[in-house]
Amino acid sequence: MNVLKHMEVIFLTAVVLAGVTSYASAAIPAPRQHVTVQNASAAQQVAVITVTAKRLSAAEKARL
């Protein structure tokens, strides 16, 4: 029953802790990310697809 009597204090304590935590986490600087430079020739390679099938003749195209 004492918990119900002190619910306002519990709520205010939770709000204060949440505020302090948010300010503390905002004060930590973000980690620096290392940027890597890719080889320009590797970045511009184009995928090559080879099709090894016989072509349809005009009669076979007309039939389809």
Side-chain angles (χ1 to χ4, degrees):
M1 211 53 161
N2 276 343
V3 173
L4 295 177
K5 289 181 182 177
H6 301 294
M7 192 56 90
E8 182 181 0
V9 175
I10 294 170
F11 175 75
L12 291 176
T13 304
V15 169
V16 168
L17 284 176
V20 169
T21 305
S22 65
Y23 278 112
S25 64
I28 299 172
R32 294 186 182 204
Q33 296 179 357
H34 298 286
V35 178
T36 58
V37 178
Q38 294 180 349
N39 190 357
S41 63
Q44 295 181 1
Q45 286 182 340
V46 178
V48 177
I49 300 172
T50 305
V51 178
T52 56
K54 74 172 200 169
R55 292 185 173 228
L56 296 175
S57 66
E60 290 172 333
K61 286 182 185 178
R63 200 173 357 141
L64 292 175

